[in-house]
Amino acid sequence: MAERGGVREGLRAYRMIAGMWVRSGMTYRVSFVVTLLGNLVMTGLDFVGILLMFSQVDSLAGWSLPEVAFLYAASVTSFGLAHLAAGSMTQLGSRIRDGSFDVLLVRPVPVLAQVGGDRFSLRRFGRVAQGGVVLGWALVAADVDWTVSKALLVPLMVVSGAAIFMAVFVAGAAFQIYAQDAAEVQNAFTYGGTTMLQYPPAVFGKDLVRGVTFVLPLAFVNWVPAAHVLGRPYPLALPGWAAFASPLVAAGCCALAGLAWRTGLRSYRSVGS
Amino acid sequence: MYLAVAVRGFRRYASYRAATAAGVFTNTVFGLILVYTYLALWDERPDLGGYDQAQAVTYVWLGQCLFAALALQGGGVEAELMERIRTGEIAVDLYRPADLQLWWLAGDLGRAVFQLLGRGVVPFLVGGLFFPTALPSRFDTWAWFAVALALAAVVSFAIRYLMALSVFWLLDGTGVSQVMMILGAFFSGMVLPLNVFPGGFGDVARALPWAAQLQVPADVLMGETAVAGAFAFQAVWAVVLLAAGRLVQSAATRRVVVQGG
């Protein structure tokens, strides 16, 4: 019971902190609109890169443009949602270095909620919007033999993918408690992960695909469910039900990330500044 | 004196050891992802953009090697410069008996040398060890490459300095940094080599100053371009941009009102 109360309290605190940052961000409306648009353009450049590639070739590792666009959009939308909710976690290291992390620890509010809501910004919605638009186009343009289960799998995939990326953000934040100056390692897994998932699994070496399936299960963000939707062979010849395993994988990742976060927090030592 | 400033720039960045190690890791991971993507692309179209597979791979690792050193998406001394303009600390810099532009150029070159050695060399070596690359064996090609790199560093600084000065009018550097990131990622050829860009769009992209930072040094290293033409291209952009920086700087410093306090 205490646990459930803690989660509710955490979510409430998160909403309040995020809301405060949204109000503060809205103070300069023009600046907000400009940065939102900037975010849209910046994240869209990856897709322009893919379009440029397809101006030179008809397929990439046997996947057509709409199919690659589907992978791209699923990865970007999931990542965008996770980044919207928990992107501030990357800045934990700088909070530890300047000592302001200690202030969060003494407040009677769950620390994870404070770190997650810290500097919450709606301009990050640009990535979600851009991913959503490409996803819509890809769903129409790709040659999909639609069934009810496939139609349900698409939203399930996006939400589970967001939860998996969120777990990576939290685990990365826990790692930053140990290695205070290493925010970039986290970037390798978050930004690197979403970049990798934009391309067909067949592009990458077998060992790399194994790694992101069984060790850090990013493959369940989009590769495995997308293989089912598009009627493509599953990576690593996984069984058919694996396409629907994303929510389970996401739950497992979140549990492990929570554990890592608690362990990290317990071992935290202030830098004393 | 400017040498001392450069050494100071080198030392300052050298003190962030964990951050440097983390950067090496990130650049290596991104290099791996890009290499696999490019190999798939060149499988589909061998000789795309005039490169063979080994050259495409070399291009990827060179990009990861130069990303931090040339601050291709920003993140060099211009971040600090913008902050100093915003807070007004720039007034102190103006009273120094040193040239403002040369002062910051020296600091940025020191930073670039450190990040080339600290962050760039390892991903480049990893790439060379595990993938077939197209590195020259002749000593003089490497020497020309070093010259191209030096010119690239100056062009890179000149672009960022010019953009940072706009904060004198805008008062906030967030938007400028974002524009710099967008243009830098795309037109320096980090997303895709510029010689793969199709048609007239490609011609424009290859004529812009960002091409002087990654595309031109890469082509010099792999013997894909005439050295003299490459240097001329870089030098012209360096001179034009530095001169523009001077003009804007003198307009900006006339605007500065030093308030007491």
Side-chain angles (χ1 to χ4, degrees):
Chain A
M1 266 329 266
E3 187 72 352
R4 191 175 300 165
V7 170
R8 196 180 305 143
E9 192 196 339
L11 284 175
R12 202 179 82 90
Y14 179 86
R15 267 203 309 277
M16 285 173 63
I17 297 168
M20 181 196 81
W21 282 103
V22 169
R23 277 196 300 283
S24 114
M26 288 298 176
T27 319
Y28 302 102
R29 245 166 242 275
V30 176
S31 171
F32 169 77
V33 173
V34 171
T35 48
L36 179 72
L37 288 177
N39 249 273
L40 239 148
V41 175
M42 192 149 57
T43 57
L45 277 186
D46 294 339
F47 190 61
V48 176
I50 291 176
L51 288 176
L52 277 177
M53 287 184 186
F54 275 91
S55 75
Q56 307 281 4
V57 298
D58 295 325
S59 67
L60 197 63
W63 293 52
S64 68
L65 174 60
E67 289 173 322
V68 173
F70 182 69
L71 283 183
Y72 167 85
S75 168
V76 167
T77 314
S78 289
F79 181 77
L81 288 170
H83 189 246
L84 181 68
S88 311
M89 297 248 164
T90 27
Q91 284 146 28
L92 183 69
S94 67
R95 278 217 173 258
I96 291 176
R97 278 197 304 284
D98 69 17
S100 59
F101 184 58
D102 295 29
V103 181
L104 308 185
L105 287 175
V106 296
R107 285 195 196 131
V109 178
V111 184
L112 191 62
Q114 294 185 62
V115 178
D118 191 26
R119 287 172 227 177
F120 180 88
S121 172
L122 276 182
R123 79 184 130 82
R124 296 196 189 128
F125 194 73
R127 194 191 302 270
V128 182
Q130 186 258 334
V133 169
V134 178
L135 186 61
W137 176 76
L139 287 175
V140 177
D143 191 15
V144 180
D145 192 8
W146 286 105
T147 61
V148 176
S149 69
K150 281 183 184 176
L152 288 175
L153 188 54
V154 173
L156 193 70
M157 165 182 81
V158 171
V159 173
S160 309
I164 293 174
F165 272 126
M166 227 151 5
V168 177
F169 273 113
V170 172
F175 173 71
Q176 283 202 46
I177 296 180
Y178 292 101
Q180 301 161 5
D181 217 3
E184 286 234 36
V185 171
Q186 192 170 5
N187 289 348
F189 290 105
T190 50
Y191 289 94
T194 179
T195 307
M196 185 173 176
L197 294 176
Q198 293 169 8
Y199 299 98
V203 163
F204 301 98
K206 263 264 160 56
D207 287 326
L208 206 56
V209 176
R210 268 193 210 107
V212 293
T213 308
F214 299 118
V215 184
L216 183 71
L218 291 175
F220 290 91
V221 169
N222 65 348
W223 277 353
V224 185
H228 178 74
V229 173
L230 299 172
R232 288 254 156 202
Y234 287 22
L236 305 173
L238 289 169
W241 53 263
F244 296 89
S246 296
L248 278 177
V249 172
C253 287
C254 288
L256 282 175
L259 205 66
W261 172 253
R262 278 185 196 195
T263 317
L265 212 53
R266 259 204 301 278
S267 71
Y268 171 69
R269 277 181 206 187
S270 169
V271 291
S273 55
Chain B
M1 179 181 66
Y2 295 111
L3 187 68
V5 176
V7 171
R8 193 205 56 159
F10 183 95
R11 289 232 182 100
R12 252 186 80 190
Y13 281 84
S15 60
Y16 302 113
R17 283 202 205 128
T20 305
V24 166
F25 179 74
T26 310
N27 284 123
T28 311
V29 169
F30 270 97
L32 267 178
I33 295 170
L34 272 180
V35 157
Y36 280 118
T37 323
Y38 281 21
L39 285 176
L41 195 60
W42 262 264
D43 255 349
E44 217 70 50
R45 269 278 305 270
D47 216 34
L48 178 61
Y51 284 169
D52 58 25
Q53 283 207 337
Q55 286 177 313
V57 169
T58 312
Y59 183 90
V60 169
W61 291 109
L62 191 63
Q64 295 304 318
C65 171
L66 299 181
F67 179 72
L70 298 182
L72 291 177
Q73 291 200 49
V77 294
E78 84 285 353
E80 194 191 340
L81 175 61
M82 287 194 276
E83 190 58 20
R84 285 183 83 82
I85 297 173
R86 194 180 66 79
T87 57
E89 283 168 291
I90 191 75
V92 182
D93 301 351
L94 289 173
Y95 279 112
R96 276 203 201 100
D99 183 79
L100 195 66
Q101 196 182 31
L102 281 178
W103 172 276
W104 286 96
L105 173 62
D108 197 55
L109 289 181
R111 178 202 62 79
V113 171
F114 171 73
Q115 285 189 326
L116 185 67
L117 299 176
R119 250 185 96 155
V121 170
V122 174
F124 198 64
L125 289 179
V126 169
L129 274 176
F130 293 101
F131 294 91
T133 46
L135 294 174
S137 50
R138 291 172 53 129
F139 174 77
D140 54 349
T141 313
W142 283 98
W144 295 135
F145 173 63
V147 176
L149 274 192
L151 284 167
V154 177
V155 173
S156 157
F157 166 78
I159 294 173
R160 288 178 284 120
Y161 188 73
L162 198 55
M163 292 195 133
L165 288 178
S166 68
V167 175
F168 271 112
W169 288 270
L170 298 172
L171 302 178
D172 176 48
T174 323
V176 191
S177 303
Q178 208 170 36
V179 170
M180 211 147 53
M181 274 178 92
I182 294 170
L183 295 175
F186 204 72
F187 289 111
S188 68
M190 278 300 283
V191 176
L192 208 60
L194 298 179
N195 55 11
V196 175
F197 284 25
F201 180 56
D203 293 335
V204 173
R206 286 185 288 272
L208 293 174
W210 287 276
Q213 301 178 70
L214 174 56
Q215 188 67 51
V216 170
D219 284 338
V220 168
L221 182 69
M222 299 190 284
E224 284 288 306
T225 179
V227 173
F231 290 169
F233 176 76
Q234 290 181 305
V236 166
W237 271 122
V239 170
V240 168
L241 290 166
L242 285 176
R246 290 220 150 236
L247 271 175
V248 176
Q249 177 188 321
S250 63
T253 47
R254 272 198 299 275
R255 271 178 57 90
V256 173
V257 178
V258 178
Q259 299 183 331

